[in-house]
Amino acid sequence: MWAELLPVGRSSASGGYRRYAWSGADADCRTWFQEQAGARGLAHEVDRNGNQWAWLGDPAAGNAVVTGSHLDSVPDGGAFDGPLGVVSAFAALDELRGRGARFTRPLGIVNFGDEEGARFGLACVGSRLTAGALTVEQAHRLTDGDGITLPRAMELAGYDPDTLGADPERLARIGAFVELHVEQGRALDLSGDRIGIASAIWPHGRWRFDFRGEANHAGTTRLADRHDPMLSYAETVLAARREAELAGAVATFGKIGVEPNGVNAIPSLVRGWLDSRAADQASLDTVVTGIEQAARAYAAAHGVDLDIVRESFTPVVEFDHALRDELARILGTRTELKVPVLGTGAGHDAGILSDRIPTAMLFVRNPTGVSHSPAEYAAEDDCLAGVNALADVLEGLACT
Ligand SMILES: [Zn+2]
């Protein structure tokens, strides 16, 4: 399976993947998924939001156990983010059939559409629509860089956009969703474990800091006479690092806009975007409040005005505690491996669906922690340990 997927949507220039929603590469991934379903005698269907499902047993029976992930990628993404969860799902089913397991619940394997949001700028579109977390009107307004709307892109790919919308009946048939994913950090590498169970997705947000000073000549304006917003911005970047370290969180200024943006001009405006995430709301509040207070003090010291705007915020996502404990119990009895429980700073379809159905995640070690890059990696032994762990979980949940 891995060898078949590897060339799909891979850029020869970067070595990274460009599998954007409703593109040719996406279609090739979807064909591959359908073939894998067919080869295993699974019933294949595409739901009203373009998510792909493969079923063993009749989902109408209810209380289904579903596993899977996504096959799309960020621009020049790695091979593992998404596909590892789908490949492992099919491989876990093969493993269970090899064990002679008998299923007592329907088993579904899913490929959620447009998880990365690389084309339309919003992540997890397929699962958001299904969960009713994205309205049809909002979905219709999504437009890519070439001016093509989401409905038009779906139409061009041969799908019917008129069916988009919340799908509560489908979700009502699912008793548990378990997503396996490559880890996007180094927690497992540092603890020396192959597999982990997710506890929660960290709350995270984006804040825009506008430092307004006074443009002037870089050669003739005395230092004492300047109102230079770059100075207070620079001090704020350092404060963000300090506050994040103190709270065991992360804080990043990764995007900046400068006006007039001239080499020989003192800036009139420096606009910086802060991305901050922490294990819990209280820690995140502490970090962001600390950064804001520091920024205001620095701005005042330099005679610079400051506006801070929160542009987006996602609260903590706690995965279902009962399902998480059940995964830990199953893996505790079936594998020799120690399986730590860890949080993550990255969003996933399982997080979107956690509002509606019990969801859980398994992480597979990523030795460098690098993700959303061609350098993303998981060793074959660790991937196989992931398949076995997923098979153990599915057997524990869905088999006699
Ligand atoms: Zn992913």
Side-chain angles (χ1 to χ4, degrees), residues 235-253:
E235 288 165 328
T236 302
V237 173
L238 299 177
R241 170 71 182 221
R242 218 163 41 233
E243 293 292 333
E245 267 176 349
L246 283 171
V250 288
T252 309
F253 278 95

Side-chain angles (χ1 to χ4, degrees), residues 39-66:
R40 290 169 177 78
L42 307 178
H44 174 262
E45 62 169 340
V46 177
D47 71 19
R48 56 187 301 180
N49 297 308
N51 305 308
Q52 253 181 322
W53 303 77
W55 289 104
L56 177 68
D58 182 3
N63 201 25
V65 175
V66 174

Side-chain angles (χ1 to χ4, degrees), residues 81 86 152 170 216-217 256 262 307 338 393:
D81 178 354
V86 180
R152 182 70 186 130
R170 176 171 297 273
N216 212 330
H217 195 292
I256 183 173
D307 288 317
K338 182 164 70 68
V393 164

